[in-house]
Amino acid sequence: MGVLLRERVPLRMPVSILIDPSNRCNFKCRFCPTGDKELLSAIGRKETVMGFDQFKKIINDLGSWIESESKRPNNIGLYKDGEPLINKRIIDFIRYAVEAKVSERVYMTTNGALLNTGLSEEIVDSGLTHIRISVEHVTDSGYTDITRTKVSYDQILDNVAMMWKAKNKKSSSLHIHAKIVGTYLKDEMIRKFESDFNPITDSTTIETIMGWSDSSSHDFSMGLVKHDQKRYSSKLCSQPFSRLAVCANGDITICCVDWAHSLLLGNVNNTSLKEAWNSEILRSIRVQHLTGNHHKESPCINCDYFKNQGVDDNIDSEINRLKSLYV
C-alpha cells in the first residue's frame, strides 16, 4: 500500500486525471448512463469524439502546471463516459501523454470489442502502462442482454488473448487487467470468467455493480441495489479533493461518475486545469461535502459511488482539518 490519501490532503494538484477520448460507445449497457440515449438527449449531452489538437492542449496545459508545482499526478486515465477505442487517434493520444511524462501511469479502460491484431500491437508498443478490460458477461446471450448489442463472448476472449500474445511476444511491461461485475452472475459464471481470463491477463477482479451520481433519480443497477439501504463506508467523498476529469467536449468536472456533467468547473478552451483545481467553484463544492450542505440540485446528494470508497481514499479523519482550510 502506498501513501494514504488522508496523509496527503490538501493536494496542490489531483492524484488522478481522467481525459475522455470519446463519450460515444459501441455498447448500450443497461447499467451505464451512456447506454440510455433518451436520458442523454433529455439533458443535452451530445455524442463527441475529442480531437487530437484539443488533447494536446490539455496535456501541454498539464505539463505547464507540473513544471510550476514540481509535482505530477499519479495517474492519467484515458476514458470516462464512452469507449476510448472509438477515437481513431487513440494511439496518438497514448503516445503523446506518455512522451510528455505528465504522469507516473497512463492507463485506459475499454470493453475490448474493437481490439484487433494491429491495434493490440500498437497499444503494446505505445507506452501505455495499464489496460483494463471490462468484461460484461460470460455467454453470448448474457452479452446481448447486458450490452443490448450483438457481441460474442468468445470474440472478447479472443481479443484479450490476442493482446496477451502481443505483450509477451514483445516482452512488454503493459499490465493487462480484466474485470467483471459479479452482482448479476451465478457462482459458476464467475468461476468461468476466472478460468478463462486468468491465463491471459496479469490480474482479474470481481466487482459489485457501480453506483452513479444522482442514483435515486436514475437507477442504473438494474434494480439490484436498494440505494437508500446501501451502507456508507465513508462520510466524505474524496473526489473533489483528489480528482479531475475532462469530458470529451473539453468540459472539466470533478468526478468520474458525473455522467450528466453537473459539476462543471469550466472548459479547457477557456479554463486551465490549474485554474479549475483552485477555483471558487471547486472550493464551494468541497465546503458542501465537508458540511453536508449540498444544494438541492447537486447530483452528489444521492450518489452511490463514494459509499464503496476504498480504504486508500478514505479521508474522514481529516474532515475538521480540511474544514479549517476551506470553510
Side-chain angles (χ1 to χ4, degrees):
M1 182 181 295
V3 179
L4 299 175
L5 184 59
R6 66 172 178 265
E7 298 172 0
R8 301 178 62 180
V9 290
L11 299 168
R12 296 205 304 270
M13 65 168 40
V15 295
S16 179
I17 299 175
L18 297 184
I19 306 172
D20 197 7
S22 167
N23 71 4
R24 291 174 50 207
C25 190
N26 50 320
F27 288 175
K28 295 179 284 186
C29 293
R30 292 167 58 198
F31 52 68
C32 178
T34 298
D36 192 331
K37 304 304 181 185
E38 289 186 8
L39 177 62
L40 297 186
S41 177
I43 65 169
R45 199 184 103 183
K46 298 179 180 179
E47 289 191 343
T48 307
V49 175
M50 182 178 285
F52 186 45
D53 286 343
Q54 184 167 62
F55 181 77
K56 289 194 294 183
K57 183 179 186 303
I58 295 166
I59 296 300
N60 293 343
D61 172 32
L62 178 57
S64 298
W65 188 11
I66 290 169
E67 187 175 353
S68 69
E69 295 288 352
S70 298
K71 294 183 72 67
R72 62 178 182 168
N74 294 350
N75 303 301
I76 298 294
L78 300 181
Y79 72 101
K80 183 182 179 292
D81 295 319
E83 168 52 52
L85 297 185
I86 283 178
N87 193 309
K88 302 298 185 184
R89 302 290 300 271
I90 189 62
I91 299 300
D92 295 325
F93 278 42
I94 297 169
R95 286 178 175 154
Y96 197 83
V98 170
E99 292 171 5
K101 294 181 169 59
V102 290
S103 174
E104 297 173 18
R105 186 174 82 145
V106 179
Y107 72 105
M108 179 170 62
T109 299
T110 172
N111 59 41
L114 299 178
L115 289 171
N116 54 48
T117 301
L119 183 55
S120 292
E121 291 182 351
E122 285 187 290
I123 290 173
V124 168
D125 289 336
S126 68
L128 193 73
T129 57
H130 293 70
I131 187 167
R132 303 191 305 187
I133 313 294
S134 294
V135 181
E136 312 305 352
H137 212 280
V138 294
T139 67
D140 290 357
S141 59
Y143 252 94
T144 298
D145 176 52
I146 295 297
T147 71
R148 294 182 285 198
T149 55
K150 283 289 185 182
V151 60
S152 164
Y153 168 71
D154 285 340
Q155 186 61 58
I156 301 296
L157 192 62
D158 288 347
N159 287 355
V160 177
M162 184 193 312
M163 175 168 283
W164 181 250
K165 182 179 179 180
K167 163 194 160 85
N168 290 310
K169 177 183 177 182
K170 296 172 179 290
S171 300
S172 167
S173 61
L174 172 67
H175 186 102
I176 302 175
H177 177 81
K179 60 188 182 76
I180 195 169
V181 173
T183 308
Y184 50 77
L185 297 179
K186 296 178 180 179
D187 289 346
E188 60 265 27
M189 292 178 174
I190 292 174
R191 288 193 294 270
K192 176 174 174 53
F193 164 77
E194 292 174 330
S195 65
D196 285 348
F197 280 93
N198 281 342
I200 56 172
T201 60
D202 295 291
S203 59
T204 59
T205 52
I206 312 299
E207 302 185 348
T208 56
I209 199 161
M210 193 181 80
W212 293 88
S213 61
D214 203 13
S215 296
S216 62
S217 298
H218 306 282
D219 180 17
F220 296 106
S221 76
M222 303 186 296
L224 297 173
V225 176
K226 297 187 186 310
H227 300 286
D228 57 347
Q229 296 177 17
K230 201 169 181 184
R231 301 185 73 125
Y232 286 59
S233 60
S234 306
K235 296 178 182 177
L236 185 64
C237 178
S238 66
Q239 294 278 320
F241 302 91
S242 60
R243 270 81 167 173
L244 281 179
V246 183
C247 305
N249 67 350
D251 283 343
I252 307 169
T253 179
I254 64 168
C255 183
C256 61
V257 295
D258 180 20
W259 57 270
H261 302 177
S262 302
L263 300 168
L264 297 186
L265 307 175
N267 186 284
V268 293
N269 291 317
N270 47 46
T271 303
S272 71
L273 295 178
K274 182 177 182 179
E275 288 170 340
W277 184 250
N278 295 307
S279 67
E280 177 58 27
I281 299 173
L282 184 48
R283 188 197 71 82
S284 176
I285 292 171
R286 288 167 178 155
V287 169
Q288 290 172 14
H289 279 264
L290 287 166
T291 61
N293 189 30
H294 302 90
H295 61 80
K296 292 181 180 179
E297 292 78 23
S298 173
C300 299
I301 294 176
N302 298 310
C303 181
D304 265 4
Y305 185 73
F306 86 97
K307 297 179 185 179
N308 290 327
Q309 196 166 255
V311 173
D312 290 5
D313 280 335
N314 191 306
I315 56 175
D316 289 355
S317 62
E318 307 308 305
I319 289 176
N320 288 334
R321 183 167 65 87
L322 291 171
K323 277 184 180 179
S324 70
L325 296 172
Y326 292 114
V327 178

